[in-house]
Amino acid sequence: MDRREFIRRCGILTGSTLLPVLPGCGGSDPSDMPPPDDTPVRFLHGVASGDPLADRVILWTRVTPDADGPVNVRYRVATDPAMTQVLIDERVVTDAGRDYTVKVDPVGLSPGTTYYYRFSAGGAESPIGRTRTLPVGSVAHLRFAFTSCSNYPEGYFAAYRHMAARSDLDAVFHLGDYIYEYGSSGNPELADDRSAQPASEIVTLSDYRIRHAQYKTDPDLQEVHRQHPMICVWDDHESTNNSWQDGAQNHTEGDEGIWSERKTHSIQAYFEWLPIRLVDPGDPQRIWRQFVFGDLVDLMMLDTRLYGRDEQLPLALGGPAVNDPNRQLLGERQQAWLGSRLIESTATWKLLGQQVMFGQLRLLTLPQVELLGTRLTGELLAINADQWDGYPAARQRVFDALDAGQVENLVVLTGDIHSSWGIDLFRDPGAVANLLAGLTGDPLDPPRIKGQGVEFVTPSVTSSGFPSGTTGLVRSLFRITDPHIRYFDGERHGYVLLDITPEQCQGEWWYVDNILEPGSGESFATARFTRTGESRLRSADGPSAPKPDAPPLAP
């Protein structure tokens, strides 16, 4: 499929103008619209918004018509939850070519403003959604929530419901594995049938569309999309496990088709079903992009998965292969873009939203580990060659950019690993560990060694983590071998809440009580924060206070 056809099928929007797949947007002459189609439709997959900018935001829904054919869809944007103060009232057309999804990009909105929106078609109305544009200028306080790894058959998406209920969030981030490609008969411990649809592993465009549609029927996922704009990136399971630019561990040429075609199918379905904006019409598979929240936060979303990644090595234990200086995780173009964005950013905090863990794991390189026995070494302490540890030259290039621009206040946000981590980032954490060992008292009060950034890793929504009962033991190991790892929990599920001011950035781990219960509650576990100019994580006394006077949630 060529670039033009890919864009046409995805129905990507630019500015206030829909590309030809959806005629009739942005004040088009009504005479140019197709004849009205009064075929009854249903809104089974909710509404969503995403990729907010200061003057626009993507709005999304999907209609399910009773009969095939083009469907005229009306959308309205208002400043009040009751939808009485309407600013935008327009119509677009969708059809089977884009799986009846609707994605519009209304412009002319005001910065830092909450809006409400609704779609209607065929005599039916969607739920009311709520979104927010980016602020400009001086910003005193921002709050975000982020998570990853939501495997539908493994449990209920309660984490999404609790994120949705936080009316003071400026946006939510999803860092990948929004869907999973595996076939599954479901979890017998669940009261409801959550077996995968289709039942087999997904490979074709139709397969990927069906799987996205199933996920979008989940009420908790619908609610987080309905209440907050989402900024998302894919990881591997949106295509298949441990994918890279030219292949994947979980892809067999022949039996599962040609990788480039499967990759294209997965990306097309992702763009159809997620509220993500096309970054570059000349490069339609690019998702790395930037969001500026006034002078407080510069968010750079990366693609460490499909864009420029070299194939994973079997085990990243060092040596000439893994340490090849030309080895790529981001690819040259994305790496150069990231370096320039970091150096040129004027925001207080620079956030990297990305997929795989950035901080180093040093366990297998240390002699103490051998005392713990073969079983533990083999099952728990193997270096993960899929993350930045498998691409050390790419990580060093990020540190080079930080040094070249004297960049401060880097905060890396990570998903993928189905566990919770808080990490101090250093180019060489081993050398820092040796320095810390020679200090007396608390090296953080005041900080005597400045870091180069910090990393918050979110737990999964439902995907399985470390074996039960191992968290305490692993924490004990890290105190000996990896003191730059300031927090770890390998077993619980939930999300990270970020509370950011000009003075500090705090990450809080919130866990759901039980992913096997659809109405599960949540609880605060712990928090770590870094102060401006320190890049070291400190323990917080408790959770941060919500922002006052948050705009009302959508009814």
Side-chain angles (χ1 to χ4, degrees):
M1 184 186 308
D2 66 20
R3 175 177 61 85
R4 185 179 299 275
E5 176 66 6
F6 178 88
I7 296 173
R8 189 195 70 80
R9 290 191 185 182
C10 290
I12 306 302
L13 315 186
T14 57
S16 62
T17 303
L18 238 45
L19 293 181
V21 67
L22 291 184
C25 175
S28 300
D29 185 342
S31 64
D32 295 333
M33 296 283 290
D37 188 341
D38 295 327
T39 300
V41 305
R42 290 167 291 165
F43 290 92
L44 301 179
H45 303 97
V47 297
S49 68
D51 276 17
L53 300 177
D55 66 342
R56 69 194 67 188
V57 61
I58 295 286
L59 305 179
W60 178 96
T61 193
R62 200 256 187 179
V63 298
T64 303
D66 286 356
D68 288 339
V71 178
N72 289 341
V73 181
R74 178 187 185 188
Y75 73 96
R76 290 169 292 155
V77 180
T79 56
D80 65 310
M83 299 290 297
T84 61
Q85 301 174 30
V86 175
L87 299 179
I88 297 173
D89 186 345
E90 295 184 352
R91 287 169 171 80
V92 295
V93 178
T94 187
D95 58 26
R98 61 194 312 272
D99 205 16
Y100 291 102
T101 59
V102 177
K103 195 157 66 170
V104 295
D105 197 8
V107 300
L109 304 179
S110 298
T113 302
T114 296
Y115 292 95
Y116 302 84
Y117 61 95
R118 190 173 217 171
F119 296 87
S120 58
E125 287 191 319
S126 75
I128 296 174
R130 172 181 178 266
T131 192
R132 186 170 179 81
T133 53
L134 300 189
V136 297
S138 178
V139 177
H141 193 187
L142 291 168
R143 280 166 72 85
F144 307 110
F146 71 95
T147 192
S148 69
C149 305
S150 42
N151 193 337
Y152 188 90
E154 286 201 31
Y156 297 105
F157 292 167
Y160 288 145
R161 175 165 44 84
H162 292 295
M163 293 164 66
R166 294 183 176 273
S167 60
D168 65 343
L169 298 182
D170 293 280
V172 298
F173 311 147
H174 199 290
L175 301 183
D177 294 346
Y178 182 93
I179 64 168
Y180 277 71
E181 81 279 15
Y182 303 123
S184 172
S185 58
N187 188 333
E189 297 184 66
L190 300 177
D192 302 316
D193 179 15
R194 289 177 73 88
S195 56
Q197 298 175 9
S200 60
E201 183 170 324
I202 55 178
V203 177
T204 68
L205 176 59
S206 176
D207 291 343
Y208 283 105
R209 285 171 163 176
I210 292 170
R211 187 64 56 82
H212 273 283
Q214 179 186 31
Y215 274 61
K216 280 290 203 310
T217 63
D218 183 273
D220 296 329
L221 178 56
Q222 285 192 11
E223 189 64 5
V224 73
H225 274 303
R226 191 170 78 91
Q227 299 294 356
H228 303 296
M230 178 178 284
I231 299 173
C232 57
V233 287
W234 55 57
D235 196 7
D236 51 342
H237 291 289
E238 289 87 351
S239 55
T240 193
N241 186 57
N242 281 7
S243 49
W244 53 290
Q245 63 177 337
D246 294 324
Q249 173 271 326
N250 189 33
H251 179 80
T252 303
E253 292 282 342
D255 292 343
E256 295 176 317
I258 300 170
W259 166 248
S260 61
E261 293 180 356
R262 183 179 186 181
K263 176 181 173 182
T264 299
H265 294 330
S266 69
I267 290 174
Q268 179 174 336
Y270 189 89
F271 270 98
E272 288 173 345
W273 281 86
L274 271 293
I276 181 174
R277 180 182 287 105
L278 182 67
V279 182
D280 180 0
D283 191 1
Q285 296 190 1
R286 169 185 167 180
I287 60 168
W288 36 280
R289 59 206 194 279
Q290 181 180 26
F291 300 89
V292 180
F293 293 79
D295 63 353
L296 187 56
V297 164
D298 200 339
L299 171 67
M300 288 152 270
M301 301 294 282
L302 304 181
D303 181 357
T304 64
R305 180 57 60 188
L306 296 179
Y307 195 84
R309 175 191 280 259
D310 291 330
E311 186 175 7
Q312 299 90 336
L313 295 175
L315 192 62
L317 294 179
V322 73
N323 290 305
D324 181 348
N326 297 314
R327 191 162 165 75
Q328 296 287 340
L329 183 63
L330 302 178
E332 292 183 1
R333 185 174 174 222
Q334 184 180 186
Q335 187 97 47
W337 173 87
L338 173 61
S340 64
R341 295 286 77 75
L342 287 171
I343 293 171
E344 295 169 6
S345 174
T346 59
T348 301
W349 299 97
K350 293 81 176 170
L351 272 55
L352 301 188
Q354 52 98 55
Q355 296 82 357
V356 293
M357 201 164 86
F358 188 88
Q360 299 94 328
L361 269 176
R362 302 171 56 248
L363 290 169
L364 273 183
T365 67
L366 301 176
Q368 295 97 316
V369 175
E370 297 176 3
L371 302 176
L372 297 174
T374 303
R375 184 195 65 80
L376 189 60
T377 299
E379 292 183 8
L380 288 181
L381 305 183
I383 299 298
N384 185 345
D386 187 56
Q387 57 196 38
W388 288 80
D389 273 340
Y391 302 81
R395 180 167 51 205
Q396 293 305 320
R397 287 190 284 271
V398 176
F399 283 124
D400 289 344
L402 297 176
D403 290 344
Q406 298 182 322
V407 178
E408 294 191 330
N409 304 325
L410 175 73
V411 179
V412 179
L413 312 178
T414 299
D416 179 68
I417 199 169
H418 308 175
S419 46
S420 304
W421 307 66
I423 306 174
D424 290 339
L425 298 178
F426 299 97
R427 186 187 289 268
D428 184 356
V432 173
N434 293 333
L435 287 173
L436 291 175
L439 297 175
T440 59
D442 184 354
L444 284 182
D445 191 20
R448 283 174 269 178
I449 301 176
K450 184 177 179 180
Q452 291 177 278
V454 299
E455 181 173 14
F456 296 112
V457 182
T458 178
S460 69
V461 176
T462 57
S463 301
S464 300
F466 281 60
S468 177
T470 59
T471 293
L473 177 58
V474 175
R475 284 178 180 171
S476 298
L477 286 172
F478 287 154
R479 280 194 287 270
I480 299 170
T481 64
D482 288 287
H484 63 292
I485 298 176
R486 308 290 294 171
Y487 174 69
F488 169 79
D489 186 289
E491 303 168 52
R492 292 184 281 182
H493 305 274
Y495 61 95
V496 174
L497 177 70
L498 290 177
D499 187 90
I500 305 176
T501 67
E503 294 75 35
Q504 70 175 44
C505 175
Q506 176 162 307
E508 304 171 11
W509 285 269
W510 290 81
Y511 297 127
V512 299
D513 299 335
N514 190 344
I515 63 170
L516 302 181
E517 297 178 359
S520 175
E522 70 167 354
S523 61
F524 167 79
T526 190
R528 300 291 185 273
F529 70 92
T530 181
R531 292 175 179 162
T532 306
E534 283 186 357
S535 292
R536 299 294 304 277
L537 291 178
R538 300 170 178 260
S539 295
D541 294 332
S544 55
K547 289 198 295 187
D549 303 322
L553 293 172

